[in-house]
Structure formats: structure tokens, C-alpha cells
Amino acid sequence: MNNQNQISDWLDKNLLRVERPGRYAGGEYNQIIKNWEEIPLHTALVFPDLYDLGISNLGITILYDEINKRTDALAERAYAPWLDMENLLRQDGIPLFSLENRKPLSEFDIVAFTLPYETLYTNALNILDLANIPILSRERNETHPLVIAGGHAVYNPEPLADFIDVFAIGEGEEIIHEILDVHKQWKSGGGTREDLLLQMSAIPGVYIPHFYSASYHEDGKFAELTPDRPGIPHKILKRILPILPPPPTRFLVPSIDVVHNRISVEIMRGCSRGCRFCHAGMVNRPVRERKASDIISAIHQSLTNTGFEEIALLSLSSSDYTQINELISGISRQYADQHIRISLPSLRIESFSVDIMEKLKETRSAGFTLAPEAATDRMRKTINKPLDIEQLLSTAEEIYQRGWPTLKLYFMIGHPNETIEDVQAIVDLCKSVRDIGFRTIGRRAKLNAGVSTFVPKPHTPFQWAACDTQESIREKQDLLRRELRGPGLKLSWTDPRETQLEAVLSRGDRRLSKVIYSAWKQGAKFDAWQDKTAFNAWDQAFVDNKIDPAFYSGRQRDLDEAFPWDHIDTGVKRKYLMQEYLNSRQEITSEDCATQCHACGIFSAFSELRKENSVDLWKCPDPIEWKEA
Ligand code: SF4
């Protein structure tokens, strides 16, 4: 009896012994099952967290669509099993399997992880272990799948260098096909795993840690990463699509309730605002928009293909989308009588219009979230997110007046040069907004304050900054918990230990691989779930490996210090990032580059691509070509 039937039988017997069996059953509407034997190339797409989160991940949806469009390849899905299912799998010696053909992941040619955030790393190791695939890259041979990874977190791939064979840096739609083509050629031509990796290393945007060695200074600081053979690139330029392709329209419809039961359409990629803490805003440049007409036709197809009742219009700054009014009007007009909800995750207060609000009102959108991030002018200048407070207050009044009882405001504490007065200002601002709500709609008005903690991210102007100390974060959160309470107020915050862990994993080098492995061995997993993070396991792992986490998280970097991620080129130049960092220290703001270019370098980095695709401007209206100093 082959593995597949064995697994199906086992699953049929055990499915009802676990929570939410729909996580493991597959069979969703729009699932694509291909004939395993007839298709030469097999890829497992893995979202290393629960099905409830992963099923609606747009990255996986796009790759599932791209690969299954091919006639020579199939893509199947796998997610992190919850603790109850993991125990059963381990107990009965059942390897982790895909949802479509229920094939053990070890039988796939490629196991592809999407890693949007760092606290998924231990889950990725746990999944490899549950799939009986050697966790360490160096222990894999020709019989094992090629383990690849992409996603925002891998813009600093070094902490995972011991575990991942191939990193795909940047946008995945094209590079995934090149990776499949090279694998197909290698598979039909035979050859060693080393040959496969060498052939892969020729693909632009691919980084193979195996071909590099890292060196460090005596004081422990990272020195450099050196290719250890000819032909291996010193720098890996991220991949971008010059023009955004039509969005996917065949969304999987889960048979259980999940976090997002909706259609997600990316209306634009990139952002020109230049907030200095924002990783996505820096690594997703340049700004590229989809046409409103393309989006509306994709929405029509997606609704027809799924029956979903909610549409999320995704981007980093949706109200900056040039055709936002046409788009919302078009959707409202077309679906006015069908009770379709529209959610616009990120609206900027400055470009917020009553028009948008009115149209969203017609579509019963859930609630309103605005992200001022900081409550004092000084901090807003430091992070380069200037904001007219009067406009925020009047917008809040408009929102309450037009029938939304709940307003959510996002703030971030822990930014460089922040004082306790800046934190107190968050309390005062939230109370002012709540009072506006009370005056406008009475005591049913609610103000939810989401206060996360700043993590200095690679490839941003704040990559030189230190993460705030846990003591300082606790002092600030104590103030918020003490003061930001009472009628109509709700506060949420991030555990300071979680912040430090994220900062270490974001800013680390390959010496962290051992720590991640030890933490996992000691039980760390589901680190993205605050109540599940095994902080003791992590603390012990740092001790066992003689590594001080504060060396990575809490240390301000010298301007000339080398970063473990310097070999990953986002197209945005170090000099531009440094200038923005220096501006932050003098509380100097930089205008939205949609109005004035700051020569970040992206325009030049992809000049060939622009010419090839006769893309004239993207959203770089008056670009300044980058000239090396
Ligand atoms: S090249 Fe200029 S306009 Fe384009 S993203 Fe960079 S700073 Fe903005």
C-alpha cells in the first residue's frame, strides 16, 4: 500500500480526533488536483503556520495559480499542523503530507516555504522534521526535495542559512518558473545536488547560502560574506515585475471558517511615502499600480468563482492608489444590491476622502483603522510620517458621524529618541478621539488603540537603530495600561519579549542558525502566537550557544558597520537609507517621493528592465538617476 493510500486511510480514521478537521481534509472549492504520475514536477507550497491563516495568504495563492497553470508541474499545499494533529502524526509515525494528493512532503521535488515574518522560523524546522526531511541543508542529498524559501523575512536570509537550500529574493511570479525549469532540466539530465545548486545560482534573484562563507571581526561584529567559487554573485538583486500581471481569481474556498474568508486583490505594489521604520515600503519599491478596470474584472471573476461576500483591496497605502475613487465607485455600482463588503486595510489620514467613506458606508465595511503611529510632531518627523492632528480629529468625527461606532488607531512605541512624554501623548490623543466619539454618537463610541513596538528592520533607514530595551518598553507599556483605560477605550500591545525575539531574528547573521535549531529542539514553535512562544526555550538556546540576544537587537550600529544582509540588493541604495537615518536624528522630514524624488536608487537599479518593458515612469514622476558617489 503506497504512502498516499496509507495516509488517506489514517486520516479518515483520525480526522475527528483533532480540532477543526477541515484544516487537514483538503477538498476546498477551486482546489486543483493533478495526476501525480503524469506530471514530472512536484512542488509543495508551505505556509508554516495554521491553515486558518495560511489558506488566504496571497503569496501562496499566486504561486499555486502560477505553477498549476503549467502542464509539466503541479503545486500542492501544506500548513503547520496544530499541536493535537502533530502529536497524532508523531505518535503513529505518519509523515506530514500535502492536502491535494496527500503525498508525504518528502516525495516532492521542491518544498517551497513562504516566510512573511521571522517568528515562523521554528515552525519551518518543525515541518521539515515532521516530513522526515533533514533539517540541515548540508545533510540533504539527491533523494531529498530542494528546500526553497521566499517572502519578506528572507530579505535577511542569514539566520536560516543552515536550513534553506535556495532563497528566492523579491517577487515570485517569474522566478518560480525559472526555478522549476532549472530543476526539470537537472532532473532529466541527472547530476549531483551540488550541480543542481550551481545551476540554480545562475538565476537572477536566487541566493544559495551554501556557496558563501561568512567572516566576523574580533569584537564579534559581522565582517563580510564571500562567494567561495567563481561565477557566484557578490550581490543578489531582488526580482520585481515591471508590470503587475492580472491578479489570481480562483481563490480556494475553505470548508471551515478561517481568519479571512474573502477575495484579496492587490491594487498596487510599493509605496512612495518613505516612512523610515517601514520594511515593506522600502523593499517593495517601485510603486506599480493595476488598472481599476483590470481589478474590477478580476473581482467579477473571483466572486463568480468563489461566492465570497468580502473583497479586500490590498496595498501598502490604498488611499494613495491613483484611481481609488473610480475603483470604489465601480465596485459599489456593480454590487450595490449584493451586500458585498469592501475592506481597505490601510488608509492614510492625509489622502482620506469623505467620498471614499461614503462609498465604503454603502458596502457595510467592518470598521475603520487609521495608523498615525506617533502622537507628537517630533516623533512623526523622526519616523517621517508627518500628520496634521486637526485633520486626524476631524476625520475621526466624520467616521463616527457616518455611523462607524468603532475606530482603531495604530501606534508604535520604541522608535529612536522617543521620550515618555511621546508615549503620554498617545494616551492624550486616544482620549481626545474617544471624546469626539462620545460627543458625536454618545457612549456607544469605541476607540481601540493598537500599540505595537518598533523593530529596526534590515534595508530601512532605521537599520542602524537599536531596538528599545525590554525595561524601557515595559515602563512605556505600564504607562499605557495605567492611563489608557476607561469607558470606550481598549488597548492592545505586544509582549516585549516577542519584540526582542523578532528583532534578533530580523537582524541576525548565520550564527543564529544554531540558536534557532536549539530553540526548536527545546520545543519552540508557533512563536507568532503570543501565548505559545516558548521564551524559556529561546533563552536557553541563547545561553547554550553563548550568544547575547541584545548584541543583535539592542545595539545601535556604526554608520560604516557591515550588515549580514548587505549582499541582498533591494535596489534602494545604502547612501539613501543612511541619509534618511541622519534626517531622522535631526527630525527632518522627506516629502512623499510621488511628488519629489529622493534618488533612492530603485529607478536606476532596474533601468534595463524598464527599457525592455518600455515602462517609462512607474510611479517615479521625476526620477533622479542614481550616480555612484
Ligand atoms: S527613484 Fe525616486 S521616485 Fe522612485 S521610488 Fe526612489 S525616491 Fe521614489
mmCIF file with all atom_site columns, all heavy atoms in Angstrom, residues 285 593 597-600 602-603 620, ligand 1:
data_model
loop_
_atom_site.group_PDB
_atom_site.id
_atom_site.type_symbol
_atom_site.label_atom_id
_atom_site.label_alt_id
_atom_site.label_comp_id
_atom_site.label_asym_id
_atom_site.label_entity_id
_atom_site.label_seq_id
_atom_site.pdbx_PDB_ins_code
_atom_site.Cartn_x
_atom_site.Cartn_y
_atom_site.Cartn_z
_atom_site.occupancy
_atom_site.B_iso_or_equiv
_atom_site.pdbx_formal_charge
_atom_site.auth_seq_id
_atom_site.auth_comp_id
_atom_site.auth_asym_id
_atom_site.auth_atom_id
_atom_site.pdbx_PDB_model_num
ATOM   1  N  N   . ARG A 1 285 ? 9.591  48.723 -3.412  1.00 0.00 ? 285 ARG A N   1
ATOM   2  C  CA  . ARG A 1 285 ? 9.681  49.768 -4.447  1.00 0.00 ? 285 ARG A CA  1
ATOM   3  C  C   . ARG A 1 285 ? 10.046 49.127 -5.790  1.00 0.00 ? 285 ARG A C   1
ATOM   4  O  O   . ARG A 1 285 ? 10.671 48.080 -5.767  1.00 0.00 ? 285 ARG A O   1
ATOM   5  C  CB  . ARG A 1 285 ? 10.747 50.797 -4.053  1.00 0.00 ? 285 ARG A CB  1
ATOM   6  C  CG  . ARG A 1 285 ? 10.301 51.650 -2.892  1.00 0.00 ? 285 ARG A CG  1
ATOM   7  C  CD  . ARG A 1 285 ? 11.307 52.720 -2.548  1.00 0.00 ? 285 ARG A CD  1
ATOM   8  N  NE  . ARG A 1 285 ? 10.763 53.600 -1.511  1.00 0.00 ? 285 ARG A NE  1
ATOM   9  C  CZ  . ARG A 1 285 ? 11.199 54.812 -1.230  1.00 0.00 ? 285 ARG A CZ  1
ATOM   10 N  NH1 . ARG A 1 285 ? 12.196 55.312 -1.913  1.00 0.00 ? 285 ARG A NH1 1
ATOM   11 N  NH2 . ARG A 1 285 ? 10.652 55.531 -0.282  1.00 0.00 ? 285 ARG A NH2 1
ATOM   12 N  N   . CYS A 1 593 ? 7.788  60.658 -2.208  1.00 0.00 ? 593 CYS A N   1
ATOM   13 C  CA  . CYS A 1 593 ? 8.566  60.755 -3.455  1.00 0.00 ? 593 CYS A CA  1
ATOM   14 C  C   . CYS A 1 593 ? 7.672  60.700 -4.679  1.00 0.00 ? 593 CYS A C   1
ATOM   15 O  O   . CYS A 1 593 ? 8.149  60.765 -5.802  1.00 0.00 ? 593 CYS A O   1
ATOM   16 C  CB  . CYS A 1 593 ? 9.673  59.717 -3.494  1.00 0.00 ? 593 CYS A CB  1
ATOM   17 S  SG  . CYS A 1 593 ? 9.117  58.034 -3.684  1.00 0.00 ? 593 CYS A SG  1
ATOM   18 N  N   . CYS A 1 597 ? 11.409 63.207 -6.080  1.00 0.00 ? 597 CYS A N   1
ATOM   19 C  CA  . CYS A 1 597 ? 12.284 62.033 -5.998  1.00 0.00 ? 597 CYS A CA  1
ATOM   20 C  C   . CYS A 1 597 ? 13.461 62.296 -5.063  1.00 0.00 ? 597 CYS A C   1
ATOM   21 O  O   . CYS A 1 597 ? 13.999 63.403 -5.033  1.00 0.00 ? 597 CYS A O   1
ATOM   22 C  CB  . CYS A 1 597 ? 12.812 61.699 -7.397  1.00 0.00 ? 597 CYS A CB  1
ATOM   23 S  SG  . CYS A 1 597 ? 13.967 60.319 -7.365  1.00 0.00 ? 597 CYS A SG  1
ATOM   24 N  N   . HIS A 1 598 ? 13.839 61.263 -4.293  1.00 0.00 ? 598 HIS A N   1
ATOM   25 C  CA  . HIS A 1 598 ? 14.987 61.384 -3.376  1.00 0.00 ? 598 HIS A CA  1
ATOM   26 C  C   . HIS A 1 598 ? 16.125 60.496 -3.835  1.00 0.00 ? 598 HIS A C   1
ATOM   27 O  O   . HIS A 1 598 ? 17.019 60.147 -3.060  1.00 0.00 ? 598 HIS A O   1
ATOM   28 C  CB  . HIS A 1 598 ? 14.554 61.010 -1.952  1.00 0.00 ? 598 HIS A CB  1
ATOM   29 C  CG  . HIS A 1 598 ? 13.383 61.798 -1.460  1.00 0.00 ? 598 HIS A CG  1
ATOM   30 N  ND1 . HIS A 1 598 ? 13.465 63.130 -1.156  1.00 0.00 ? 598 HIS A ND1 1
ATOM   31 C  CD2 . HIS A 1 598 ? 12.091 61.441 -1.280  1.00 0.00 ? 598 HIS A CD2 1
ATOM   32 C  CE1 . HIS A 1 598 ? 12.259 63.552 -0.771  1.00 0.00 ? 598 HIS A CE1 1
ATOM   33 N  NE2 . HIS A 1 598 ? 11.412 62.557 -0.844  1.00 0.00 ? 598 HIS A NE2 1
ATOM   34 N  N   . ALA A 1 599 ? 16.028 60.065 -5.147  1.00 0.00 ? 599 ALA A N   1
ATOM   35 C  CA  . ALA A 1 599 ? 17.139 59.275 -5.683  1.00 0.00 ? 599 ALA A CA  1
ATOM   36 C  C   . ALA A 1 599 ? 17.461 58.093 -4.787  1.00 0.00 ? 599 ALA A C   1
ATOM   37 O  O   . ALA A 1 599 ? 18.592 57.925 -4.334  1.00 0.00 ? 599 ALA A O   1
ATOM   38 C  CB  . ALA A 1 599 ? 18.382 60.148 -5.882  1.00 0.00 ? 599 ALA A CB  1
ATOM   39 N  N   . CYS A 1 600 ? 16.457 57.262 -4.512  1.00 0.00 ? 600 CYS A N   1
ATOM   40 C  CA  . CYS A 1 600 ? 16.719 56.100 -3.633  1.00 0.00 ? 600 CYS A CA  1
ATOM   41 C  C   . CYS A 1 600 ? 17.527 55.033 -4.376  1.00 0.00 ? 600 CYS A C   1
ATOM   42 O  O   . CYS A 1 600 ? 18.107 54.159 -3.755  1.00 0.00 ? 600 CYS A O   1
ATOM   43 C  CB  . CYS A 1 600 ? 15.405 55.514 -3.143  1.00 0.00 ? 600 CYS A CB  1
ATOM   44 S  SG  . CYS A 1 600 ? 14.523 54.600 -4.402  1.00 0.00 ? 600 CYS A SG  1
ATOM   45 N  N   . ILE A 1 602 ? 16.240 52.975 -6.889  1.00 0.00 ? 602 ILE A N   1
ATOM   46 C  CA  . ILE A 1 602 ? 15.432 51.914 -7.489  1.00 0.00 ? 602 ILE A CA  1
ATOM   47 C  C   . ILE A 1 602 ? 15.270 52.142 -8.992  1.00 0.00 ? 602 ILE A C   1
ATOM   48 O  O   . ILE A 1 602 ? 15.300 51.191 -9.790  1.00 0.00 ? 602 ILE A O   1
ATOM   49 C  CB  . ILE A 1 602 ? 14.053 51.811 -6.796  1.00 0.00 ? 602 ILE A CB  1
ATOM   50 C  CG1 . ILE A 1 602 ? 13.444 50.423 -7.014  1.00 0.00 ? 602 ILE A CG1 1
ATOM   51 C  CG2 . ILE A 1 602 ? 13.104 52.851 -7.284  1.00 0.00 ? 602 ILE A CG2 1
ATOM   52 C  CD1 . ILE A 1 602 ? 13.980 49.380 -6.149  1.00 0.00 ? 602 ILE A CD1 1
ATOM   53 N  N   . PHE A 1 603 ? 15.145 53.411 -9.372  1.00 0.00 ? 603 PHE A N   1
ATOM   54 C  CA  . PHE A 1 603 ? 14.884 53.714 -10.784 1.00 0.00 ? 603 PHE A CA  1
ATOM   55 C  C   . PHE A 1 603 ? 16.050 53.245 -11.650 1.00 0.00 ? 603 PHE A C   1
ATOM   56 O  O   . PHE A 1 603 ? 15.862 52.678 -12.717 1.00 0.00 ? 603 PHE A O   1
ATOM   57 C  CB  . PHE A 1 603 ? 14.659 55.224 -10.935 1.00 0.00 ? 603 PHE A CB  1
ATOM   58 C  CG  . PHE A 1 603 ? 13.976 55.598 -12.201 1.00 0.00 ? 603 PHE A CG  1
ATOM   59 C  CD1 . PHE A 1 603 ? 12.631 55.320 -12.374 1.00 0.00 ? 603 PHE A CD1 1
ATOM   60 C  CD2 . PHE A 1 603 ? 14.678 56.193 -13.224 1.00 0.00 ? 603 PHE A CD2 1
ATOM   61 C  CE1 . PHE A 1 603 ? 12.000 55.641 -13.568 1.00 0.00 ? 603 PHE A CE1 1
ATOM   62 C  CE2 . PHE A 1 603 ? 14.055 56.520 -14.413 1.00 0.00 ? 603 PHE A CE2 1
ATOM   63 C  CZ  . PHE A 1 603 ? 12.718 56.247 -14.590 1.00 0.00 ? 603 PHE A CZ  1
ATOM   64 N  N   . CYS A 1 620 ? 7.408  56.910 -10.382 1.00 0.00 ? 620 CYS A N   1
ATOM   65 C  CA  . CYS A 1 620 ? 8.545  57.779 -10.027 1.00 0.00 ? 620 CYS A CA  1
ATOM   66 C  C   . CYS A 1 620 ? 8.444  58.977 -10.964 1.00 0.00 ? 620 CYS A C   1
ATOM   67 O  O   . CYS A 1 620 ? 9.080  59.003 -12.004 1.00 0.00 ? 620 CYS A O   1
ATOM   68 C  CB  . CYS A 1 620 ? 9.867  57.048 -10.233 1.00 0.00 ? 620 CYS A CB  1
ATOM   69 S  SG  . CYS A 1 620 ? 10.014 55.543 -9.286  1.00 0.00 ? 620 CYS A SG  1
HETATM 70 S  S1  . SF4 B 2 .   ? 13.506 56.628 -7.619  1.00 0.00 ? 1   SF4 B S1  1
HETATM 71 FE FE1 . SF4 B 2 .   ? 12.751 58.466 -6.622  1.00 0.00 ? 1   SF4 B FE1 1
HETATM 72 S  S2  . SF4 B 2 .   ? 10.570 58.498 -7.062  1.00 0.00 ? 1   SF4 B S2  1
HETATM 73 FE FE2 . SF4 B 2 .   ? 11.288 56.425 -7.487  1.00 0.00 ? 1   SF4 B FE2 1
HETATM 74 S  S3  . SF4 B 2 .   ? 10.934 55.282 -5.578  1.00 0.00 ? 1   SF4 B S3  1
HETATM 75 FE FE3 . SF4 B 2 .   ? 13.015 56.094 -5.480  1.00 0.00 ? 1   SF4 B FE3 1
HETATM 76 S  S4  . SF4 B 2 .   ? 12.876 58.052 -4.413  1.00 0.00 ? 1   SF4 B S4  1
HETATM 77 FE FE4 . SF4 B 2 .   ? 10.798 57.448 -5.095  1.00 0.00 ? 1   SF4 B FE4 1
#
